[in-house]
Amino acid sequence: MDSVEWGEFRLGDLFEINPTKYYKLKNEAIISQNGTVPLISNSSTDNGVMGFSNLKANNVGNTITCSDTTLGAETMYYQENDFIGYSHIQHLVPKFKPFNKTIASVIISASRVSTSKKYDYGNKFNREAMNKTTIQLPIKNGEINFSFMEKFIAELEAERIAELEAYLMATNLKNYTLTQEEQRVLNDFEKGCFEFQEFNLEKLFSKSTRGRRLKSSDRISGTLPFVTAGETNDGISAYIGNEVNVFSKNTITIDMFGSAKYRNYKYGGDDHVAIVHTENLPKLASIFVTTAIHKSSYAGQFDYSRNFYATDADELNISLLSTNNTPNYQLMETFISAIQKLVIKDVVLYADKKIATSKEVVYDK
């Protein structure tokens, strides 16, 4: 990368930037459950896709969209397919060729770097600002070096996919073939043959434990994950070297908002975290229990004014698969194993396909 020559380009010189075309209808009149045309909104997730519609697309794909109400290019996304626009979404149509997802990803990354911390609520990243934004791109002989961009991204992708492949192999997740028992359990679930029953959490796993407060200023850098409330990084706010209570792996945490998470590693926790002691359960059964807890505790009844504590965990009732009025943990294991294989199958097939494609791109260039 040090030997790469860089040039500066204005987005307005690279793209025609205009508001997207949109239907002046309410969202429910546009979005359909069986729709196939993406509706691109101001969302900062899911590539900006709010939902899908059966209405005709009114904007061409192989282009870029970006909300003009944000603080930078964080809502800038590549749109592969034709789509339906939305109010305050700008459409960036390239003036140059070639243009594809790989080249778009480089331009989007460069735009996000260029606009970071430059805009605020009083100074939005609107169409005028987009046109004036300058980004750095690799060049050769004074022209954008598209071939370098495509090869560089292909190599990065190949590296990440190889890491995914290694992880799948190490964790034995490459095997996505359902056993006869797993298929039977899935069939029974589809037919509604499962029996669910409510159980009290304390009666199942004894009293829950509460973590202890450790102020940020008192934390010593180390290797032990320290769990606090929140969804970012699964609630891990720091890695510490302090002497604290260390909780066992294969346990469950519930934060102050009632959000439950499975922990397959040793960790510390602050006083806004309750620990449910599922150490003696098989891993996949613990994951099932985590989902059951989350469904019961994370239903909007806990917030900043009413925190979830360990005493709330002890009073919590959860719905589990049962047989003869007893939790059937073996059935839970089999069910989660089957679901895991259904999910991982697409990941494995995607990884295999991308590895093959990446090798072709890398070695052909």
Side-chain angles (χ1 to χ4, degrees):
M1 288 293 289
D2 292 339
S3 61
V4 177
E5 186 178 357
W6 298 88
E8 200 168 77
F9 300 87
R10 288 175 71 253
L11 286 180
D13 294 332
L14 297 175
F15 297 90
E16 290 285 351
I17 306 176
N18 292 293
T20 56
K21 298 174 183 176
Y22 58 94
Y23 290 102
K24 295 182 179 180
L25 300 170
K26 292 184 177 180
N27 292 341
E28 53 266 31
I30 301 174
I31 298 173
S32 301
Q33 284 190 340
N34 61 347
T36 57
V37 178
L39 170 64
I40 308 302
S41 71
N42 297 282
S43 173
S44 59
T45 59
D46 298 324
N47 221 53
V49 177
M50 175 187 287
F52 294 87
S53 177
N54 285 320
L55 298 177
K56 183 179 179 180
N58 48 14
N59 299 271
V60 298
N62 193 34
T63 52
I64 291 174
T65 57
C66 185
S67 171
D68 61 19
T69 63
T70 55
L71 310 184
E74 67 266 25
T75 58
M76 185 176 282
Y77 298 111
Y78 173 72
Q79 304 301 337
E80 183 174 5
N81 302 310
D82 294 353
F83 62 93
I84 295 171
Y86 205 75
S87 178
H88 291 291
I89 298 297
Q90 298 296 323
H91 194 193
L92 287 74
V93 180
K95 298 178 181 179
F96 58 90
K97 291 184 179 180
F99 188 74
N100 52 42
K101 184 177 182 179
T102 298
I103 294 170
S105 69
V106 175
I107 291 174
I108 290 170
S109 295
S111 298
R112 290 176 178 171
V113 169
S114 179
T115 60
S116 177
K117 298 181 181 179
K118 286 187 177 180
Y119 296 92
D120 55 36
Y121 288 102
N123 180 29
K124 299 290 182 67
F125 188 53
N126 56 27
R127 180 155 54 108
E128 182 180 358
M130 291 180 202
N131 273 291
K132 293 179 179 179
T133 295
T134 57
I135 61 174
Q136 288 195 326
L137 297 176
I139 60 173
K140 185 176 182 180
N141 300 325
E143 301 291 334
I144 299 175
N145 192 342
F146 295 110
S147 62
F148 171 82
M149 292 162 65
E150 292 188 277
K151 184 177 180 181
F152 178 69
I153 293 298
E155 289 175 345
L156 277 182
E157 193 171 60
E159 182 180 324
R160 298 295 179 266
I161 293 295
E163 292 174 357
L164 173 60
E165 178 83 356
Y167 173 78
L168 293 172
M169 292 291 290
T171 54
N172 197 33
L173 290 174
K174 285 282 286 184
N175 176 21
Y176 55 79
T177 303
L178 293 172
T179 65
Q180 289 185 344
E181 180 64 13
E182 288 167 344
Q183 187 62 65
R184 183 190 68 77
V185 168
L186 286 179
N187 291 340
D188 286 347
F189 177 74
E190 289 290 334
K191 295 175 183 176
C193 298
F194 283 177
E195 180 182 342
F196 284 87
Q197 186 173 337
E198 282 204 343
F199 298 91
N200 174 261
L201 211 55
E202 181 181 355
K203 289 182 179 178
L204 290 176
F205 307 113
S206 299
K207 284 189 174 295
S208 297
T209 305
R210 183 179 178 182
R212 294 188 63 182
R213 176 167 300 198
L214 181 64
K215 294 187 296 184
S216 298
S217 57
D218 294 333
R219 295 173 191 172
I220 302 169
S221 180
T223 59
L224 182 72
F226 189 69
V227 178
T228 58
E231 299 301 314
T232 304
N233 295 327
D234 281 336
I236 298 174
S237 61
Y239 288 85
I240 63 171
N242 304 72
E243 289 188 11
V244 297
N245 289 335
V246 177
F247 300 106
S248 301
K249 64 180 182 179
N250 196 41
T251 53
I252 299 166
T253 61
I254 313 175
D255 71 14
M256 60 188 285
F257 305 112
S259 181
K261 294 179 178 63
Y262 174 73
R263 307 286 176 184
N264 195 30
Y265 46 82
K266 293 181 179 180
Y267 59 94
D270 77 356
D271 59 340
H272 284 110
V273 173
I275 294 84
V276 182
H277 294 280
T278 52
E279 293 96 328
N280 297 324
L281 281 187
K283 174 182 176 180
L284 297 183
S286 293
I287 292 174
F288 189 104
V289 171
T290 304
T291 303
I293 291 174
H294 189 81
K295 184 177 181 180
S296 180
S297 60
Y298 198 62
Q301 67 270 49
F302 299 101
D303 52 31
Y304 284 107
S305 62
R306 170 68 170 94
N307 293 175
F308 185 100
Y309 290 114
T311 52
D312 294 301
D314 294 337
E315 296 174 2
L316 200 66
N317 292 321
I318 61 173
S319 182
L320 297 176
L321 294 174
S322 67
T323 302
N324 298 325
N325 298 320
T326 302
N328 190 332
Y329 294 118
Q330 184 175 353
L331 181 58
M332 296 179 210
E333 275 190 274
T334 306
F335 180 72
I336 292 297
S337 176
I339 295 298
Q340 182 174 265
K341 286 183 177 180
L342 291 178
V343 172
I344 211 67
K345 178 179 179 179
D346 289 338
V347 176
V348 173
L349 294 178
Y350 169 81
D352 290 344
K353 180 180 178 181
K354 294 301 290 185
I355 287 172
T357 302
S358 297
K359 286 179 179 178
E360 290 177 7
V361 173
V362 171
Y363 296 127
D364 283 351
K365 296 193 174 203

